[in-house]
């Protein structure tokens, strides 16, 4: 899929008042499913399209989802609002796009210097994470399902090398999540732009640096056409989760078999998407290297400053929000045991094969 083809998708949003009520046609339950992303984008978009395709296939005519690309039905950052309000019955995106509702939602996407994709899945399934996920989304009448993960991301694309913390001062950078809050403490003007606005802003000079996802999507969105320095890995997104959310009333209206289909389609989409990112990120990484892109790691003093800034951000957020504090306690309880195990096994294995 060419970058220009999917960047054109979803340019206009339809006002909520103009949308039709949920449909029931000839015994088929018909649900609208907007996503925050261009539906044709690899990884994040196919996470939504394969989820919808699986539900429609397994439901055998009882339930039919119609997918709307980012911005086609509602603005990319308004998907959960649409589902909460009943404009759509189900939606797809990533939790931290809605952190303005509750800062604890960051935990269900990613935390800087935190859990990997596999560890995130483990925490949700076995470490109490899903119970917290359910409780926090229930506050807005939503039912959440983890549906994928972009795996370890890139720290960002820069037009100039980052040699010290001073290089961050005054930098206009597109960066999402709590990583953006940490960057602000180091002098960065952090802004969050919807996916389709990143490349134009970067190309025009409206922003000086941009983080998006990783090699596969960064190449597809043309980040390498603007900058030649890519820093990796991402301190702020060691494994970013994707999700599906369902309006609680709509969920309760489904029979148990249809609920099981949605749940299992989300599980299947998670597994497939992790595999897709792992495989195609490796291909894109080689392609980008061959084209002359320089992949660099932040200097140790920069990483130390970022770790200090992240610690401040987490403390501030926990002090301000009891939900954040509860999630942080649970998350850290698993991270504390996952870290030494990961160092002894996963990290050591990766170093052995270099």
């Amino acid at each position: 899929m060419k970058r220009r083809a999917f960047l054109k998708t979803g340019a206009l949003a339809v006002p909520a008042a103009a949308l039709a009520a949920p449909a029931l046609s000839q015994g088929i339950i018909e649900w609208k499913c907007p996503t925050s992303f261009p539906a044709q984008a690899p990884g994040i978009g196919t996470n939504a399209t394969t989820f919808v395709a699986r539900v429609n296939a397994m439901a055998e005519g009882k339930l039919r989802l119609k997918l709307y690309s980012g911005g086609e039905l509602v603005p990319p950052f308004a998907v959960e609002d649409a589902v909460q309000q009943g404009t759509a019955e189900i939606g797809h995106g990533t939790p931290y796009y809605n952190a303005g509702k509750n800062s604890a939602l960051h935990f269900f996407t990613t935390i800087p210097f935190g859990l990997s994709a596999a560890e995130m899945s483990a925490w949700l399934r076995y470490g109490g994470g899903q119970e917290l996920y359910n409780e926090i989304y229930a506050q807005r009448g939503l039912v959440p399902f983890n549906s994928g993960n972009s795996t370890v991301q890139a720290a960002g694309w820069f037009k100039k090398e980052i040699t010290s913390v001073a290089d961050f001062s005054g930098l206009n950078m597109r960066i999402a999540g709590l990583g953006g809050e940490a960057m602000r403490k180091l002098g960065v003007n952090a802004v969050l732009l919807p996916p389709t606005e990143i490349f134009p802003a970067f190309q025009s000079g409206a922003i000086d640096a941009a983080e998006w996802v990783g090699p596969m999507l960064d190449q597809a969105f043309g980040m390498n056409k603007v900058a030649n320095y890519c820093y990796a890995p991402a301190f702020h997104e060691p494994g970013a989760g994707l999700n599906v959310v369902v309006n609680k009333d709509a969920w309760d209206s489904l029979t148990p078999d249809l609920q099981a289909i949605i749940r299992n389609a989300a599980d299947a989409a998670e597994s497939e998407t992790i595999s897709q990112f792992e495989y195609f990120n490796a291909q894109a990484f080689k392609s980008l290297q061959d084209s002359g892109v320089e992949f660099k790691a932040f200097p140790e003093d920069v990483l130390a400053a970022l770790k200090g800034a992240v610690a401040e951000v987490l403390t501030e957020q926990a002090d301000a929000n009891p939900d954040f504090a509860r999630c942080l306690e649970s998350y850290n309880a698993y991270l504390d045991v996952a870290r030494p195990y990961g160092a002894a096994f996963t990290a050591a294995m990766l170093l052995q094969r270099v």
Side-chain angles (χ1 to χ4, degrees), residues 91-351:
H92 171 269
T94 186
Y96 70 2
Y97 281 176
N98 304 276
K101 310 288 184 183
N102 188 326
S103 60
L105 297 184
H106 285 289
F107 287 94
F108 310 112
T109 298
T110 189
I111 296 294
F113 300 110
L115 300 175
S116 68
E119 292 167 342
M120 176 74 167
S121 182
W123 175 62
L124 288 172
R125 292 172 185 265
Y126 302 109
Q130 188 65 49
E131 289 78 7
L132 290 165
Y133 206 173
N134 294 342
E135 289 174 22
I136 290 167
Y137 269 88
Q139 296 170 3
R140 291 185 290 138
L142 298 172
V143 181
F145 299 93
N146 186 45
S147 68
N149 197 292
S150 61
T151 68
V152 61
Q153 296 196 7
W157 291 79
F158 296 82
K159 298 174 183 178
K160 298 179 180 179
E161 289 188 68
I162 301 299
T163 60
S164 69
V165 176
D167 292 330
F168 286 144
S169 182
L171 204 67
N172 294 314
M173 181 177 183
R174 189 277 179 190
I175 181 169
L178 294 176
E181 298 301 321
M183 282 287 205
R184 287 190 181 97
K185 289 184 176 292
L186 301 184
V188 172
N189 176 29
V191 296
L192 179 60
L193 298 173
T196 55
E197 295 181 18
I198 300 172
F199 177 78
F202 200 18
Q203 185 180 48
S204 71
I207 55 176
D208 308 305
E211 68 83 28
W212 175 214
V213 182
M216 174 177 69
L217 274 164
D218 290 357
Q219 183 181 51
F221 275 67
M223 299 296 104
N224 56 303
K225 297 181 184 301
V226 182
N228 200 49
Y229 297 110
C230 181
Y231 281 78
F235 77 95
H236 64 298
E237 294 188 323
L242 300 166
N243 75 342
V244 168
V245 294
V246 185
N247 178 282
K248 181 63 162 58
D249 290 337
W251 174 256
D252 289 342
S253 73
L254 294 179
T255 54
D257 61 323
L258 293 179
Q259 291 180 344
I261 284 170
I262 289 175
R263 185 179 294 110
N264 283 280
D267 282 347
E270 177 192 12
S271 176
E272 180 185 50
T273 301
I274 289 173
S275 298
Q276 185 181 18
F277 271 104
E278 286 293 327
Y279 185 84
F280 290 104
N281 270 339
Q283 309 299 317
F285 176 70
K286 182 179 186 305
S287 174
L288 288 167
Q289 279 189 313
D290 290 346
S291 72
V293 171
E294 294 188 50
F295 286 90
K296 293 180 171 291
F298 285 138
E300 288 300 319
D301 61 328
V302 171
L303 281 174
L306 286 167
K307 286 180 180 178
V310 167
E312 288 182 28
V313 168
L314 295 178
T315 298
E316 290 167 358
Q317 295 287 345
D319 289 344
N321 180 1
D323 285 339
F324 192 100
R326 287 194 303 133
C327 288
L328 182 61
E329 181 179 9
S330 173
Y331 190 94
N332 279 346
Y334 176 53
L335 181 59
D336 286 345
V337 296
R339 187 184 290 111
Y341 168 73
F345 282 76
T346 307
M349 176 274 294
L350 291 172
L351 288 173

Side-chain angles (χ1 to χ4, degrees), residues 52-72:
V52 166
R54 281 193 174 93
V55 170
N56 289 345
M58 290 190 289
E60 297 182 323
K62 297 178 185 177
L63 172 65
R64 183 162 57 213
L65 307 185
K66 181 177 180 180
L67 183 67
Y68 294 86
S69 190
E72 186 179 1

